């Protein structure tokens, strides 16, 4: 076996793990690894901030289903990865972070650029490693990729001391990974499958409550089968947009704080929730004690700890959702063949809500540009093959509401952690993973100012993403809450960003094309101009009306029964519906 | 009853105690005591954790704990099915009354000076509490308790139930001297 140093062993291990691209920035402690990277077939993309590397890895992973990889040095390089690691972990995205650590003899001495990144990231990763012996590098890398990508996917960090990268070792990549304490259950119990099928066949008001796990498990096809076998209406959470086509007649839209009236109300009135890869998050349930009060719960998830965490499950299906649905679909078909309840009254009711309370928005009366209209038009013009990413806030909610998603992995956002600044670096990662696909980052002016430096990375590395800055000169979602709950006292939400910075000039300074749109009649042609540019990144500064709000809304901590469709306006129900 | 005792088999790897403690801390689970040490298998350590679970379900705590990659097996140690012991070392004034308390509780006097005695007691929690109750608080100079350790009664072992699935990931013996609790 040939001798090599730990750094070469690391790069060999990453190649053996199937890595084709990684995002990172070198520095002192990781420097030995960058020497073999120079000769490796792995593409390394030099980002401008480690946070960008982490979100790019996440965007890559969400777009492709493969493990995303980021790499940074010790100390500040590593701590800059904490936000994207927490972000990926919360949204169950498989990423592996490699960090350099100070030499093992210096660990614990408060050495230059020393941070206990294993300790720091313990609560925000699925697992992590500190490697001080070069012989341990290949196994740690193999385990990291195995842990990140199997079971409930997540973030794994491998911290490697500089001397372990420098010392001589031999390379021996393990063929199999076997971990005493990690054996994810992937096949559901057959008895539970039959119980679930029986429950479905008894229910008169069922809803398919679909979460991001369906996308993670590549189970959209199987979900479609279940929906069509049963005829049950479907809601897709923020993490599941695209898991079921928006154009499908059974789709009610997104549930939750800014969900559609039909989706929110269907969950509230249901007698059964068929929960697939969703986790009863507070943004979906509202006040938990009043959520779906009459519903029995079928809860299918790969993570046993999600079962019963927030809501008791009447039937628990633990396993990979693809396997679960492959078992559940025929079982449900058989159960329905024996006795199928008439869902017609329920379907009439829920589809009635959908047609009576569609998503909508008012055009600003002052002739300014409507942010919802911009986003809706980008969706229409770019089409359902586009990958959309978003930051966090109003623009994110509008992008989830007014773009029609037809396919999995076309909507990438930070759902769990709610990380402002996610959109641009995630779009970069998605475009690297899917270079032939149009990638639009729908961003806010607040978010954009957190991570836009990665546009330099995009410009230099030929990653031609498109960015729509929905510029309302404010931290719009916070401003909306101040409007609704703080007597319009706009404390520190005015960004004054109409021209400072000038996003068009900023884009050009970073090697992108900069466009601006200030009038409603220019929206389409500006989007079309952006669509024509494929050799460089393009940034469009959409100056939009600043008082537009996200509706419907269930205020934080209140019941989903108290959904409002506009300010102080509850849906007007027919009497028999109440 | 909100007090539960868990026996937890963990891989004997660096950081494992921090992982468990971090999990309990961030999810708001209260630990009454935690005792950890090596087992018959050098790759495996065993924790006995006494939890005060007001407002949390034991199943949920176990499921979260089991998500830690280094956790191999978990079992609840119920009073009826397990041996539970604690160690108490307590330093008190050297006088007849304190010696009588030690004698009454069948505890051992392990160290003696002209002014102090150190009493050593091993027993169930209620026995330790009874001994402490008999010592006048103002006479206790210093005390230390081990926390509870527990072992299932009967022939069955937690290791048998959980280690059968243990893989061979750690062919090279992990350096046990680096495990937190031995530092």
């Amino acid at each position: 076996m040939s001798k090599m140093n730990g750094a070469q062993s690391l790069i060999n291990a990453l190649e053996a793990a199937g890595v084709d691209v990684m995002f990172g920035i070198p520095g002192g402690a990781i420097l030995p690894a960058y020497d073999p990277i120079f000769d490796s077939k792995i593409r390394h993309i030099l980002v401008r901030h480690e946070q960008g590397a982490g979100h790019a890895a996440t965007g890559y992973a969400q777009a492709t289903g493969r493990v995303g990889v980021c790499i940074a040095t010790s100390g500040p390089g590593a701590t800059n990865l904490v936000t994207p690691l927490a972000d990926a972990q919360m949204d169950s995205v498989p990423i592996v972070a490699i960090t350099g650590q100070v030499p093992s003899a210096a660990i614990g001495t408060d050495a230059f650029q020393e941070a206990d990144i294993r300790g720091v990231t313990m609560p925000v990763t699925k697992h992590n490693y500190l490697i001080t012996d070069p012989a341990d590098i290949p196994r740690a890398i193999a385990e990291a990729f195995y842990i990140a990508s199997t079971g409930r996917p997540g973030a794994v960090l491998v911290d490697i001391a500089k001397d372990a990268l420098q010392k001589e070792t031999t390379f021996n990549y393990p063929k199999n990974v076997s971990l005493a304490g990690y054996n994810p259950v992937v096949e559901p119990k057959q008895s539970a499958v039959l119980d679930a099928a029986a429950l479905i066949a008894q229910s008169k008001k069922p809803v398919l409550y679909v979460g991001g796990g369906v996308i993670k498990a590549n189970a959209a096809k199987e979900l479609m089968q279940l929906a069509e076998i049963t005829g049950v209406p479907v809601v897709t959470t923020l993490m599941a947009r695209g898991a079921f086509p928006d154009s499908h007649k059974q789709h009610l839209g997104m549930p939750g704080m800014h969900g559609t009236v039909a989706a929110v109300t269907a969950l509230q009135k249901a007698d059964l929730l068929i929960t697939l890869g969703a986790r009863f998050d507070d943004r979906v349930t509202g006040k938990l004690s009043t959520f779906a009060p009459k519903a029995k719960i079928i809860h299918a998830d790969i993570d046993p700890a999600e079962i019963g965490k927030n809501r008791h499950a009447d039937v628990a299906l633990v396993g990979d959702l693809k396997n679960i649905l492959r078992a559940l679909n025929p079982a449900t078909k058989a159960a329905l063949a024996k006795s199928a309840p008439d869902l017609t009254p329920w379907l009439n009711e829920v589809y009635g809500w959908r047609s009576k309370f569609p998503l909508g928005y008012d055009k600003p009366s002052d002739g300014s540009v409507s942010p919802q209209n911009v986003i809706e038009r980008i969706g229409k013009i770019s089409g359902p093959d586009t990958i959309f990413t978003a930051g966090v806030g109003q623009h994110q909610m509008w992008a989830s509401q007014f773009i029609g998603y037809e396919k999995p992995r076309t909507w990438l956002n930070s759902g769990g952690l709610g990380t402002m600044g996610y959109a641009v670096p995630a779009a970069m990662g998605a475009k690297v993973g899917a270079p032939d696909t149009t990638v639009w980052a729908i961003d806010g002016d607040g978010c954009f100012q957190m991570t836009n430096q990665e546009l330099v990375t995009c410009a230099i590395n030929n990653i031609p993403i498109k960015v729509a800055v929905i510029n309302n000169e404010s931290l719009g979602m916070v401003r909306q809450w101040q409007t609704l709950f703080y007597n319009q006292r706009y404390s520190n939400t005015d960004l004054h960003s109409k021209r400072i910075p000038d996003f068009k000039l900023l884009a050009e300074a970073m090697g992108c094309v900069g466009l601006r749109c200030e009038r409603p009649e220019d929206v389409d042609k500006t989007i079309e101009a952006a669509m024509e540019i494929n050799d460089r990144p393009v940034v469009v500064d959409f100056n939009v009306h600043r008082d537009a709000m996200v509706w419907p809304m269930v205020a934080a901590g209140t019941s989903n029964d108290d959904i409002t469709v506009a300010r102080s306006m509850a849906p007007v129900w027919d009497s028999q519906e109440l | 009853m909100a007090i539960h005792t868990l026996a937890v088999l963990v891989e004997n790897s660096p950081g494992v105690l921090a992982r468990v403690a971090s999990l309990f801390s961030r999810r708001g689970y209260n630990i009454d005591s935690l005792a950890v040490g090596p087992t018959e298998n050098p790759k495996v350590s065993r924790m006995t954790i006494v939890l005060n679970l007001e407002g949390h379900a034991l199943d949920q705590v176990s499921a979260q704990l089991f998500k830690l990659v280094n956790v191999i097996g978990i079992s609840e140690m119920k009073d009826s099915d397990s041996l539970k012991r604690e160690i108490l070392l307590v330093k008190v004034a050297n006088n007849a009354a304190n010696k009588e308390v030690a004698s009454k509780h069948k505890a051992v006097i392990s160290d003696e000076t002209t002014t102090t005695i150190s009493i050593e007691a091993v027993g169930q929690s209620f026995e330790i509490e009874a001994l402490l109750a008999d010592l006048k608080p103002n006479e206790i100079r210093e005390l230390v308790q081990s926390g509870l350790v527990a072992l299932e009664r009967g022939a069955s072992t937690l290791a048998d139930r959980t280690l059968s699935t243990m893989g061979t990931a750690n062919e090279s013996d992990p350096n046990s001297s680096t495990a937190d609790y031995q530092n």
Side-chain angles (χ1 to χ4, degrees):
Chain A
M1 218 172 292
S2 63
K3 296 273 187 186
M4 62 182 72
N5 65 12
Q8 186 65 58
S9 173
L10 168 66
I11 302 308
N12 286 9
L14 292 170
E15 287 175 354
V19 177
D20 58 4
V21 63
M22 52 189 179
F23 303 87
I25 306 183
I30 195 67
L31 203 46
Y34 271 78
D35 197 56
I37 284 175
F38 209 39
D39 300 321
S40 171
K41 63 185 181 188
I42 299 174
R43 181 183 182 195
H44 179 278
I45 294 172
L46 176 61
V47 298
R48 293 300 182 266
H49 189 293
E50 289 87 355
Q51 186 186 356
H55 292 317
T58 303
Y60 172 90
Q62 285 187 299
T64 64
R66 295 158 56 84
V67 178
V69 183
C70 53
I71 179 164
T73 196
S74 64
T79 56
N80 279 343
L81 289 176
V82 172
T83 297
L85 285 167
D87 180 276
Q89 177 67 8
M90 279 282 261
D91 284 345
S92 310
V93 181
I95 69 168
V96 169
I98 311 291
T99 50
Q101 180 55 277
V102 300
S104 51
I107 291 176
T109 67
D110 306 315
F112 176 66
Q113 291 195 328
E114 181 184 2
D116 172 18
I117 199 63
R118 184 186 57 170
V120 169
T121 59
M122 228 172 240
V124 298
T125 54
K126 187 171 173 183
H127 194 55
N128 60 16
Y129 293 85
L130 168 61
I131 302 299
T132 53
D133 180 346
D136 293 339
I137 290 173
R139 183 184 300 122
I141 295 298
E143 289 181 4
F145 278 78
Y146 175 65
I147 291 168
S149 61
T150 56
R152 180 178 181 173
V156 181
L157 175 129
V158 184
D159 193 29
I160 310 175
K162 185 173 187 178
D163 55 319
L165 293 171
Q166 291 167 321
K167 277 185 201 156
E168 196 166 83
T169 183
T170 53
F171 176 70
N172 186 11
Y173 195 74
K175 284 193 188 70
N176 299 305
V177 174
S178 166
L179 296 164
Y182 180 75
N183 295 290
V185 174
V186 293
E187 288 293 342
K189 285 193 184 125
Q190 187 58 22
S191 60
V193 169
L194 296 176
D195 289 347
L199 205 48
I200 293 170
Q202 285 161 21
S203 300
K204 296 188 173 69
K205 297 182 171 187
V207 177
L208 276 157
Y209 163 26
V210 173
V214 170
I215 295 175
K216 304 291 184 319
N218 296 314
K221 193 178 82 184
E222 289 77 8
L223 166 64
M224 176 63 78
Q225 288 164 353
L226 181 62
E228 298 199 328
I229 289 167
T230 58
V232 170
V234 178
V235 303
T236 53
T237 68
L238 183 64
M239 292 309 297
R241 307 287 291 120
F244 191 77
D246 276 355
S247 59
H248 195 281
K249 66 179 189 332
Q250 284 163 245
H251 201 176
L252 303 178
M254 182 173 77
M257 180 176 273
H258 295 295
T260 64
V261 172
V264 171
T265 309
L267 293 179
Q268 287 305 95
K269 309 283 181 194
D271 66 356
L272 174 68
L273 302 189
I274 308 163
T275 312
L276 305 175
R279 59 185 178 90
F280 298 89
D281 178 73
D282 58 273
R283 257 38 183 179
V284 166
T285 64
K287 190 177 172 191
L288 191 59
S289 58
T290 65
F291 175 69
K294 293 172 203 143
K296 291 200 167 180
I297 306 291
I298 295 170
H299 195 171
D301 206 287
I302 187 102
D303 181 357
E306 285 303 332
I307 308 295
K309 185 182 81 177
N310 291 338
R311 175 71 184 249
H312 171 76
D314 298 280
V315 179
L317 293 165
V318 176
D320 181 280
L321 267 171
K322 206 179 184 79
N323 298 338
I324 290 172
L325 288 169
R326 281 179 176 172
L328 183 60
N329 290 353
T332 303
K333 202 170 182 176
L336 288 171
K338 282 187 205 145
S339 78
D342 181 13
L343 296 185
T344 313
W346 172 238
L347 296 178
N348 287 342
E349 206 171 8
V350 298
Y351 296 150
W353 298 329
R354 183 175 59 190
S355 50
K356 192 167 173 187
F357 306 107
L359 287 170
Y361 54 89
D362 294 326
K363 297 251 164 86
S365 52
D366 60 0
S368 58
V369 176
S370 150
Q372 297 99 323
N373 182 250
V374 168
I375 292 167
E376 187 172 39
R377 294 305 301 158
I378 292 172
K380 283 271 171 11
I381 292 169
S382 197
D385 288 326
T386 308
I387 293 173
F388 297 92
T389 72
V392 169
Q394 288 184 314
H395 68 277
Q396 173 196 27
M397 290 297 107
W398 290 322
S400 72
Q401 292 174 329
F402 295 109
I403 294 173
Y405 298 97
E406 297 293 310
K407 299 172 184 179
R409 303 192 185 282
T410 57
W411 163 245
L412 320 182
N413 83 136
S414 170
L417 196 66
T419 310
M420 286 179 67
Y422 174 84
V424 168
M428 171 170 75
K431 184 72 179 171
V432 168
D436 299 328
T437 304
T438 301
V439 178
W440 268 101
I442 309 291
D443 217 358
D445 47 312
C447 286
F448 185 70
Q449 290 185 73
M450 291 188 175
T451 51
N452 65 62
Q453 74 276 12
E454 297 315 333
L455 283 167
V456 173
T457 313
C458 290
I460 288 172
N461 291 283
N462 188 27
I463 307 168
I465 64 168
K466 304 181 195 303
V467 182
V469 181
I470 308 300
N471 182 359
N472 59 5
E473 304 157 58
S474 60
L475 297 167
M477 187 59 96
V478 184
R479 183 182 160 91
Q480 173 168 342
W481 285 41
Q482 288 172 333
T483 302
L484 297 173
F485 310 123
Y486 292 88
N487 296 319
Q488 294 156 62
R489 286 161 52 82
Y490 297 118
S491 172
N492 291 283
T493 48
D494 192 339
L495 290 168
H496 303 282
S497 48
K498 188 176 171 82
R499 287 294 180 271
I500 306 176
D502 184 317
F503 291 124
K504 183 170 180 290
L505 291 180
L506 180 62
E508 286 168 6
M510 291 190 288
C512 309
V513 174
L515 303 173
R516 176 170 290 129
C517 173
E518 297 177 286
R519 301 185 305 168
E521 57 269 36
D522 296 337
V523 168
D524 276 23
K525 62 184 171 208
T526 313
I527 296 167
E528 280 154 10
M531 293 299 295
E532 291 302 312
I533 298 160
N534 293 307
D535 59 341
R536 275 169 294 171
V538 53
V539 176
V540 188
D541 179 17
F542 288 99
N543 291 189
V544 300
H545 188 64
R546 73 181 326 188
D547 290 325
M549 290 206 225
V550 182
W551 300 107
M553 181 167 184
V554 179
T558 67
S559 169
N560 280 348
D561 294 328
D562 300 326
I563 189 170
T564 47
V565 288
R567 192 168 184 184
S568 309
M569 212 164 98
V572 181
W573 306 98
D574 295 336
S575 55
Q576 75 270 16
E577 289 168 338
L578 299 167
Chain B
M1 172 120 135
I3 305 289
H4 298 274
T5 304
L6 293 181
V8 183
L9 293 181
V10 298
E11 282 183 274
N12 186 8
S13 66
V16 67
L17 179 59
R19 290 179 203 283
V20 171
S22 163
L23 169 73
F24 281 76
S25 163
R26 71 177 179 269
R27 295 208 182 259
Y29 308 149
N30 292 326
I31 298 179
D32 274 5
S33 75
L34 190 157
V36 56
T39 66
E40 71 286 352
N41 181 340
K43 292 180 183 175
V44 175
S45 296
R46 179 166 173 141
M47 298 180 179
T48 305
I49 307 173
V50 180
L51 290 163
N52 188 346
L53 291 182
E54 214 60 74
H56 294 281
L58 183 64
D59 281 356
Q60 174 63 199
V61 175
S62 298
Q64 294 292 355
L65 196 52
F66 200 55
K67 276 172 76 167
L68 296 179
V69 169
N70 296 134
V71 170
I72 301 163
I74 304 169
S75 183
E76 187 182 7
M77 298 281 111
K78 294 194 171 144
D79 283 347
S80 51
D81 311 327
S82 44
L83 302 173
K84 293 184 174 177
R85 296 292 183 271
E86 293 181 48
I87 300 172
L88 167 74
L89 297 172
V90 57
K91 191 176 290 182
V92 292
N94 188 345
N95 60 36
N98 285 337
K99 285 183 172 171
E100 197 183 313
V101 170
S103 160
K104 176 185 163 194
H105 290 278
K106 298 189 172 62
V108 178
I109 294 170
S110 301
D111 187 46
E112 186 163 0
T113 70
T114 53
T115 55
T116 62
I117 56 170
S118 293
I119 302 172
E120 171 187 332
V122 177
Q124 302 185 58
S125 302
F126 72 88
E127 294 171 313
I128 301 293
E129 283 160 19
L131 191 161
L132 281 173
D134 279 354
L135 292 169
K136 292 196 174 69
N138 60 1
E139 294 208 353
I140 296 176
R141 304 276 289 273
E142 192 171 28
L143 73 81
V144 59
Q145 291 178 273
S146 62
L148 188 81
V149 293
L151 189 70
E152 210 171 338
R153 290 181 188 274
S156 163
T157 72
L158 176 56
D160 281 346
R161 288 204 301 277
T162 55
L163 294 190
S164 55
T165 56
M166 183 166 180
T168 51
N170 292 311
E171 283 148 11
S172 61
D173 205 27
N175 183 358
S176 62
S177 67
T178 59
D180 313 53
Y181 61 88
Q182 290 172 341
N183 278 340

